[in-house]
């Protein structure tokens, strides 16, 4: 019986999905059939969000309507800001963002006035609202730590440009906006990963989409999932320079330390998203004139390949890219939230469309039935 148990659900197929898959023949991640590297090269974050929710890329009229709707929903409810301000500055930004999303749900009166909250159209409306307001939430999560006020959104800017504007108070040059947009697309979806599966489990109980996303954020916080991009920058700072990469890695492996940013449960021949994100990182390195960042990146990647034959995952190039943009390291995983909320909510809608309560069995290995000792 123990031999039948699949720890971590490894290799277990629990449902069907039409949202994304890894094509083993090309080692490519597909969103609704489209290779993600092509989407990152040819589409915007808005177009990819529309694709994940609707199944097809928008035509110009659909895109214009969708962009108008998203821009109209960007302003952060003052109650959400107050809830964030009530949290201590020592709270991790992931906890701050998780709380803010939960408050968004509590403020949605339709959850109490309309019991049919599992309706697909209503779930989509709430999903777009969360996606539109997460830039304000994530940006303010960083700004409050720096003693800065909330920056109001600009409706004349695209999703990524506005996100950076709300974070830094100005719109960076196009090369930075483009690199950030690429990261949002690459992080948007990845099948039944831990946080997405968490969202689907919660949705399967017929809970609401805010609860599903709040739970997914909790799963994403762990360093074995979303927190890995933060860990990559801690590694870079610990290593210091390219010349120390190989000896540092040798000592770390000898001490049996887990090196974050390398390896993946799904990809066996390297994460197909890495080349696209590394290309974006290279544009940032050139823009900011920081060649030492790429030197360290390449040296550590080479050392890991020679020592273990393990290749980087998406977190490896995205960490230094976000650092060059000016984001605090603790904000890297909240940025992941802002991207992945599109994938999470697409899966919530898919789960609800053909729902079955997710409730696996377990094999009990505790004591056999026994009596409580008498107190006489």
């Amino acid at each position: 019986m123990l031999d039948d148990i699949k720890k971590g659900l490894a290799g277990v197929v629990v449902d069907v999905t039409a949202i994304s898959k890894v094509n083993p023949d090309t080692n490519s991640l597909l969103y609704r059939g489209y290779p993600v590297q092509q989407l990152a090269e040819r589409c915007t974050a808005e177009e990819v969000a529309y694709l994940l929710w609707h199944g097809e890329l928008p035509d110009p009229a659909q895109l214009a309507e969708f962009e108008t709707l998203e821009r109209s929903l960007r302003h952060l409810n003052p109650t959400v800001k107050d809830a964030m301000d009530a949290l201590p500055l020592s709270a991790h930004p992931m906890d701050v963002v998780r709380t803010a999303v939960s408050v968004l749900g509590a403020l949605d009166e339709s959850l109490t006035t309309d019991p049919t909250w599992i309706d697909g159209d209503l779930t989509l409306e709430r999903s777009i609202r969360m996606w539109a307001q997460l830039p304000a939430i994530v940006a303010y999560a960083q700004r409050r730590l720096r003693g800065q006020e909330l920056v109001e959104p600009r409706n004349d800017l695209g999703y990524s440009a506005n996100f950076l504007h709300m974070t830094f108070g100005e719109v960076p040059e196009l090369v930075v906006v483009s690199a950030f947009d690429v990261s949002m697309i690459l992080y948007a979806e990845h099948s039944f990963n831990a946080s997405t599966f968490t969202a689907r489990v919660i949705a399967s109980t017929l809970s609401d989409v805010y609860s599903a996303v709040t739970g997914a954020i909790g799963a994403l916080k762990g360093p074995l999932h979303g927190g890995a991009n933060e860990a990559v920058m801690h590694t870079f700072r610990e290593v210091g320079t390219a010349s120390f990469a190989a000896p540092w890695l040798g000592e770390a492996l000898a001490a049996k330390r887990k090196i974050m940013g390398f390896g993946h449960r799904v990809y066996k021949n390297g994460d197909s998203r890495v080349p696209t994100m590394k290309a974006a990182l290279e544009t940032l390195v050139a823009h900011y004139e920081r060649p030492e960042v790429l030197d360290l990146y390449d040296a550590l990647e080479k050392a890991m390949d020679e020592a273990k034959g393990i290749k980087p995952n998406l977190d490896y190039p995205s960490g230094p890219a976000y650092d060059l943009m000016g984001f605090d390291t603790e904000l890297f995983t909240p940025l992941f939230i802002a991207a992945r909320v599109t994938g999470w909510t697409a899966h919530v809608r898919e789960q609800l469309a053909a729902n079955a309560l997710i409730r696996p069995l377990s094999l009990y290995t505790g004591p056999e039935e026994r009596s409580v000792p008498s107190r006489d």
Side-chain angles (χ1 to χ4, degrees), residues 249-292:
L249 182 64
E251 293 180 5
L253 293 176
K256 300 189 182 304
R257 291 177 58 180
K258 184 172 180 62
I259 314 301
M260 306 306 291
F262 290 91
H264 199 281
R265 176 77 72 87
V266 176
Y267 298 100
K268 304 307 178 186
N269 298 306
D271 188 332
S272 64
R273 300 167 295 180
V274 168
T276 302
M277 193 63 224
K278 186 182 180 184
L281 172 62
E282 290 171 341
T283 66
L284 295 171
V285 166
H287 174 71
Y288 291 110
E289 299 181 349
R290 294 284 304 279
E292 74 281 2

Side-chain angles (χ1 to χ4, degrees), residues 13-314:
V13 178
V14 299
D15 208 338
V16 299
T17 182
I19 300 171
S20 73
K21 67 169 285 188
V22 174
N23 185 341
D25 296 328
T26 60
N27 202 50
S28 181
L29 173 63
L30 309 178
Y31 291 177
R32 303 286 189 180
Y34 294 109
V36 70
Q37 60 267 31
Q38 292 182 12
L39 292 170
E41 177 185 355
R42 304 170 189 175
C43 300
T44 64
E46 290 94 328
E47 290 173 297
V48 173
Y50 187 99
L51 169 69
L52 291 173
W53 282 322
H54 295 277
E56 298 292 343
L57 287 166
D59 61 32
Q62 291 169 329
L63 179 60
E65 181 181 5
F66 180 66
E67 290 177 336
T68 299
L69 174 61
E70 184 270 320
R71 295 180 188 197
S72 72
L73 298 171
R74 289 176 175 176
H75 287 275
L76 190 62
N77 188 305
T79 302
V80 178
K81 179 179 180 297
D82 290 343
M84 296 172 69
D85 286 333
L87 299 174
L89 293 177
S90 58
H92 193 286
M94 282 294 287
D95 298 326
V96 175
V97 175
R98 183 193 65 223
T99 299
V101 170
S102 183
V103 173
L104 281 179
L107 293 173
D108 191 335
E109 295 182 358
S110 66
L111 290 180
T112 55
T113 59
D114 183 356
T116 60
W117 60 64
I118 63 171
D119 176 86
D121 291 338
L122 290 176
T123 299
L124 178 59
E125 290 176 15
R126 293 168 183 136
S127 301
I128 297 172
R129 184 178 299 111
M130 273 190 285
W131 183 62
Q133 294 190 11
L134 270 166
I137 291 170
V138 174
Y140 187 56
Q142 173 163 303
R143 292 185 66 83
R144 66 189 289 269
L145 293 175
R146 298 183 177 190
Q148 300 170 331
E149 293 298 318
L150 176 72
V151 173
E152 291 299 320
R154 281 178 50 180
N155 291 345
D156 62 320
L157 298 174
Y159 184 84
S160 292
N162 176 67
F163 202 142
L164 294 168
H165 158 70
M166 296 194 74
T167 304
F168 302 111
E170 60 183 12
V171 181
E173 294 187 39
L174 181 59
V175 62
V176 181
V177 176
S178 297
F180 185 74
D181 206 52
V182 165
S183 77
M184 290 290 102
I185 292 171
L186 296 178
Y187 269 126
E189 161 60 11
H190 208 247
S191 192
F192 279 31
N193 57 82
S195 56
T196 297
F197 189 63
T198 299
R200 291 190 72 128
V201 169
I202 294 172
S204 79
T205 70
L206 301 187
S207 186
D208 62 274
V209 69
Y210 300 104
S211 297
V213 170
T214 301
I217 293 172
L220 190 69
K221 183 182 177 183
L224 294 184
H225 190 14
N229 52 13
E230 293 183 35
V232 169
M233 280 315 300
H234 294 312
T235 295
F236 271 39
R237 294 191 180 102
E238 186 176 341
V239 176
T241 63
S243 61
F244 288 107
W248 178 90
L249 182 64
E251 293 180 5
L253 293 176
K256 300 189 182 304
R257 291 177 58 180
K258 184 172 180 62
I259 314 301
M260 306 306 291
F262 290 91
H264 199 281
R265 176 77 72 87
V266 176
Y267 298 100
K268 304 307 178 186
N269 298 306
D271 188 332
S272 64
R273 300 167 295 180
V274 168
T276 302
M277 193 63 224
K278 186 182 180 184
L281 172 62
E282 290 171 341
T283 66
L284 295 171
V285 166
H287 174 71
Y288 291 110
E289 299 181 349
R290 294 284 304 279
E292 74 281 2
V293 173
L294 199 58
D295 291 342
L296 175 54
Y297 179 106
D298 290 335
L300 188 57
E301 178 183 12
K302 180 181 178 183
M304 177 62 88
D305 188 44
E306 292 176 348
K308 289 288 189 178
I310 302 176
K311 301 184 182 301
N313 56 47
L314 178 58

